[in-house]
Amino acid sequence: MPCAYWIAHVTVTDEEAYGRYAALATKAIAAHGGEFLARGGEAIQKEGRAHPRNVVARFPSLEAANACYESATYQEALSHAKGASERDLVLVEGAD
């Protein structure tokens, strides 16, 4: 079974609230076997809309990535991100 990735592009508009999101989201991601590969480092935008924060997390499967997103812990985290950020998030299966 191929791994999967969360790929998020984020513009934070409320640092305090987003910090609460990040703390809870980190717990949810770890609980579902996820690990961060990129988390807000430098980026070079080549196409599309730029966001100052880019995050990539790897999961053991697309099912695990989706279960994390749907989990109560992540949904609680997400309640802090809404209104505190502009985000694009995609869950994508890795290549074999």
Side-chain angles (χ1 to χ4, degrees):
M1 180 181 316
C3 66
Y5 301 91
W6 277 20
I7 303 170
H9 307 289
V10 184
T11 299
V12 176
T13 57
D14 181 337
E15 292 285 343
E16 184 178 326
Y18 200 79
R20 291 190 297 272
Y21 159 80
L24 287 167
T26 297
K27 291 178 185 176
I29 288 167
H32 289 86
E35 64 176 317
F36 289 101
L37 303 179
R39 197 171 189 185
E42 286 190 51
I44 299 171
Q45 185 71 29
K46 293 292 191 176
E47 296 183 26
R49 183 172 169 231
H51 288 276
R53 183 170 178 81
N54 298 283
V55 179
V56 179
R58 179 175 48 213
F59 289 83
S61 67
L62 188 58
E63 292 76 16
N66 192 56
C68 180
Y69 186 88
E70 299 295 334
S71 72
T73 303
Y74 189 75
Q75 290 301 306
E76 181 184 352
L78 196 54
S79 74
H80 296 286
K82 292 182 179 175
S85 62
E86 297 173 19
R87 303 162 27 96
D88 297 310
L89 173 66
V90 63
L91 284 58
V92 62
E93 189 172 72
D96 286 338

